Amino acid sequence: MQDQLSRTFSALADPTRRAMLARLSSGEANVSDLAQPFLGEMSLPAVTKHLQVLEKAGLITKTRNAQWRSCKLNGDGLKDAANWMEQYRVYWEESFDRLDAYLKTVTAKKPPQGDENV
C-alpha cells in the first residue's frame, strides 16, 4: 500500500496529469473541458483514469451536479510534497552557499593573470 506522498509523486510523474493540473490552476473545469486537449491522443475513459489518479492522490476534487462532473484543484494535496521538497531545497541552497564561499577563497589565492613569472 502506497503512502500519500508516494501517491502524490506518482500522480505528478505523468505529463498528461501535470497538464490537467496546470489547466485547473486557472479555475474549475468540467471533465469534458479537461479531456478536450487530449482526445486526439487518448480516449475519454483514459482521461477519466488520469482524473481518478489525481483524485486518489488528493490533488483534485470532483463534484457532480446532475450529469455535469466538475473538477477543481486541491492545493492542500500538494502541501505534503512541497514540505518534503522544502527540506532538500534548503540543503541545496546551503551547499551552493558553501561552494560559493570556497570558490571565492580559491580564486582569491590565485595570482593575477600574467604575473606567474614575477
Side-chain angles (χ1 to χ4, degrees):
M1 181 151 182
Q2 278 189 328
D3 63 288
Q4 184 60 39
L5 190 59
S6 296
R7 280 192 294 275
T8 300
F9 282 120
S10 180
L12 292 172
D14 186 275
T16 300
R17 293 192 284 265
R18 290 193 307 269
M20 290 175 174
L21 290 175
R23 164 55 187 90
L24 289 172
S25 70
S26 63
E28 194 170 328
N30 65 42
V31 172
S32 299
D33 290 340
L34 284 172
Q36 190 62 40
F38 307 104
L39 290 179
E41 304 165 14
M42 66 181 74
S43 66
L44 187 56
V47 169
T48 302
K49 285 185 181 184
H50 281 293
L51 291 172
Q52 287 172 346
V53 170
L54 291 170
E55 187 176 26
K56 285 180 183 176
L59 300 174
I60 66 168
T61 54
K62 289 194 314 190
T63 57
R64 178 189 256 186
N65 186 4
Q67 74 264 19
W68 299 104
R69 294 176 192 246
S70 179
C71 299
K72 73 177 179 181
L73 194 61
N74 179 15
D76 290 339
L78 289 172
K79 278 184 183 176
D80 288 340
N83 290 338
W84 184 84
M85 287 186 288
E86 178 64 17
Q87 65 187 336
Y88 295 99
R89 184 191 62 79
V90 169
Y91 167 79
W92 282 110
E93 282 182 1
E94 289 171 354
S95 295
F96 288 134
D97 289 344
R98 286 191 306 271
L99 177 61
D100 184 49
Y102 171 74
L103 291 174
K104 284 179 182 174
T105 63
V106 170
T107 56
K109 294 176 184 176
K110 186 176 174 183
Q113 289 284 338
D115 291 345
E116 292 91 13
N117 296 329
V118 176

